[in-house]
Amino acid sequence: MNNLRNINVRGKRVLVRCDLNGPFGPDGKVEDDFRIRKSIPTLEYLRNNGAKIIIISHLGRPKGKDLTFSLRPVAKRLWELFQGNVKFVNDTIGRGVEKEIKAMKEGEVIVLENLRFYDEEKENDDKFSKSLARLADIFVQDGFGVCHRAHASMVGVTKYLPSYPGMLLEDELRVLSNSLITPDRPLVSIIGGAKVSTKTRVVERLLDKSDYLLLGGKIANSLLVAKGICIKDSLSQDEENLMEVVKGINLTSPKLHLPIDGMMGLANFEEEYSRVGAVGTLRREEGIYDIGPETIEKYKAILSEAKTIIWNGPLGLFEKPPFDKGTIEIAKMIGQINSKVFSVVGGGETVELIQKLGIENQFDHISTGGGAMLDFMAGKELPGIVALEESSKKKNNDED
Ligand code: 3PG
Ligand code: MG
């Protein structure tokens, strides 16, 4: 891929695609600035080298122009982190925006309005991509968290501008691929969270790459059903043809570790109820909402041997105590052994919990990618990355 450090950006208009998407309150206030902070190194580099910086991002999933999804509060947070020199412009493309950019001086930063106020963004519309490209001389892709989306600001725009990866993107790709392809072993992977159909590919690939794969959350429940250990009713109504969905996963692999006990709750949560029990004792009216104490101990013992750990997704329904215990204990344990292990963690919910526990600095790499990290680990092509590679190839051919 092209290298941003090899070009002179002074006085150039640089369009930077960041992923500044994150939770925000009803008043639009930024509730978590993790991704905003992670975007700073590239922006700082460009500012120190005299570029005119034009930031584009999406926020949430608005339907049309809905100002509750405005990037204005995000621009304000950036202004604080940058100590001034950040201006918000309330549109994304067009004459007004171009006029603002024309007036920019070296080192100045503007943040444009939410890309998704235009449906054309998600449609990877060619005209919209061109309108974005008109704003700048150079494009920098730093939105790793959106690289699994084939949108205009991820793909289309790279056809019309010389395109470079930003520092966050480079860092994510380097760390994630090193930990998967050339890790210090044993490599222990942990996958939790959503239902199995969204995670089969990543489970298959991690079973291949890891020395141990530990599962929790809904995905573990589905595999317990598939193995005939748990009754089907309460656990996997959402997997209609479960056996078909899991057919690529080697259910008898010695590397695959499923919960042996769980924290059971009532499937409808009508009353407060919880019970620790072996997974095989699950009753019809119950669901497994967290890994149980024996599983926690077993997983900890495996993790204590690890040299590399990759983790994505909570191990239980962590927003609803007491079903948060497994995720919290595993997070704390990984934090405690940080000095002797290389730890990589990602996924919005997992990162949120780690921040809440105040142990963010006890992990070696916290990925800004949720879906993007999973797709990368599953070995899928990320459209945002493919577009950058193609743009680099084109540039090099043009130069030959
Ligand atoms: C994310 O939060 O996963 C990214 O910002 C992508 O957002 P999306 O899932 O709405 O495309
Ligand atoms: Mg470490």
Side-chain angles (χ1 to χ4, degrees):
M1 268 196 262
N2 290 330
N3 190 334
L4 186 57
R5 295 164 200 82
N6 293 343
I7 55 163
N8 183 5
V9 294
R10 186 160 302 279
K12 299 259 171 64
R13 297 168 302 161
V14 183
L15 184 69
V16 190
R17 179 30 158 137
C18 297
D19 183 359
L20 305 177
N21 186 27
F24 56 93
D27 49 355
K29 203 168 161 275
V30 174
E31 279 185 344
D32 173 9
D33 65 359
F34 171 66
R35 280 175 166 162
I36 305 177
R37 283 186 281 117
K38 286 281 193 178
S39 304
I40 297 290
T42 300
L43 302 176
E44 217 146 49
Y45 172 85
L46 290 169
R47 185 171 66 173
N48 293 340
N49 286 282
K52 298 170 184 174
I53 304 156
I54 306 146
I55 301 173
I56 47 173
S57 176
H58 73 286
L59 181 68
R61 295 175 176 175
K63 296 205 166 36
K65 187 168 178 166
D66 175 351
L67 286 179
T68 44
F69 293 86
S70 173
L71 273 170
R72 187 185 286 276
V74 172
K76 181 161 173 270
R77 183 73 193 112
L78 258 181
W79 186 89
E80 288 160 5
L81 292 167
F82 253 172
Q83 288 143 359
N85 240 343
V86 177
K87 187 173 174 183
F88 176 71
V89 174
N90 67 0
D91 204 348
T92 322
I93 50 165
R95 287 262 171 79
V97 177
E98 286 168 27
K99 212 171 128 204
E100 293 281 352
I101 293 172
K102 218 168 173 191
M104 285 177 87
K105 298 195 185 64
E106 290 180 7
E108 284 185 353
V109 182
I110 65 174
V111 179
L112 301 183
E113 186 53 289
N114 195 339
L115 286 157
R116 291 190 184 169
F117 283 0
Y118 289 85
D119 290 340
E120 292 91 332
E121 159 69 356
K122 285 175 102 166
E123 292 156 3
N124 191 22
D125 179 79
D126 199 46
K127 218 171 130 214
F128 185 72
S129 303
K130 277 188 186 151
S131 305
L132 286 174
R134 271 170 65 101
L135 306 177
D137 307 300
I138 294 165
F139 176 66
V140 172
Q141 180 56 271
D142 217 17
F144 175 72
V146 219
C147 275
H148 57 318
R149 307 282 183 225
H151 296 172
S153 65
M154 307 306 298
V155 176
V157 70
T158 65
K159 285 202 286 184
Y160 302 110
L161 283 177
S163 303
Y164 296 80
M167 278 120 199
L168 171 63
L169 187 90
E170 284 178 340
D171 192 46
E172 291 272 16
L173 293 180
R174 184 178 42 79
V175 174
L176 294 180
S177 65
N178 287 351
S179 5
L180 210 56
I181 310 300
T182 50
D184 275 348
R185 289 188 184 276
L187 164 62
V188 181
S189 302
I190 313 169
I191 294 289
K195 57 184 187 176
V196 71
S197 53
T198 60
K199 301 213 172 168
T200 38
R201 293 254 313 250
V202 78
V203 168
E204 282 168 41
R205 185 138 188 266
L206 286 177
L207 264 184
D208 179 39
K209 302 278 179 208
S210 320
D211 300 291
Y212 301 87
L213 175 61
L214 318 181
L215 296 184
K218 263 196 187 168
I219 182 177
N221 294 347
S222 296
L223 293 192
L224 286 169
V225 173
K227 283 176 76 111
I229 297 170
C230 280
I231 45 170
K232 186 170 162 98
D233 278 25
S234 55
L235 290 188
S236 54
Q237 291 140 332
D238 50 3
E239 304 290 352
E240 268 173 22
N241 36 20
L242 184 62
M243 293 323 283
E244 184 61 26
V245 173
V246 302
K247 70 170 191 271
I249 300 173
N250 179 2
L251 290 173
T252 55
S253 165
K255 296 179 185 181
L256 178 66
H257 294 270
L258 290 168
I260 44 184
D261 62 348
M263 181 69 88
M264 327 296 195
L266 288 184
N268 52 19
F269 289 112
E270 259 167 22
E271 35 186 299
E272 239 170 71
Y273 168 92
S274 63
R275 167 182 84 84
V276 168
V279 287
T281 67
L282 187 74
R283 298 172 195 145
R284 209 154 273 279
E285 66 280 11
E286 294 173 333
I288 303 178
Y289 293 106
D290 194 13
I291 56 175
E294 276 186 53
T295 309
I296 294 175
E297 287 317 308
K298 181 184 161 196
Y299 284 6
K300 279 185 180 174
I302 295 172
L303 286 164
S304 69
E305 302 291 321
K307 288 277 181 337
T308 308
I309 296 171
I310 303 179
W311 179 18
N312 187 306
L315 298 171
L317 192 67
F318 79 100
E319 61 274 28
K320 223 175 161 62
F323 305 111
D324 54 352
K325 191 160 185 266
T327 313
I328 290 178
E329 292 231 357
I330 295 298
K332 284 189 176 160
M333 193 267 174
I334 298 173
Q336 277 157 12
I337 57 170
N338 181 37
S339 61
K340 60 180 205 75
V341 66
F342 187 79
S343 54
V344 179
V345 54
E349 293 178 314
T350 322
V351 174
E352 187 189 319
L353 181 94
I354 283 167
Q355 286 182 307
K356 238 195 241 161
L357 294 173
I359 54 172
E360 205 180 323
N361 54 7
Q362 293 172 22
F363 290 78
D364 292 287
H365 181 84
I366 303 191
S367 177
T368 51
M373 176 183 169
L374 282 173
D375 279 4
F376 183 86
M377 292 194 307
K380 292 187 194 165
E381 283 195 332
L382 302 182
I385 308 293
V386 174
L388 271 186
E389 281 164 352
E390 273 167 13
S391 169
S392 294
K393 260 190 245 153
K394 187 168 159 275
K395 177 173 165 279
N396 294 333
N397 287 342
D398 291 350
E399 281 166 5
D400 283 348

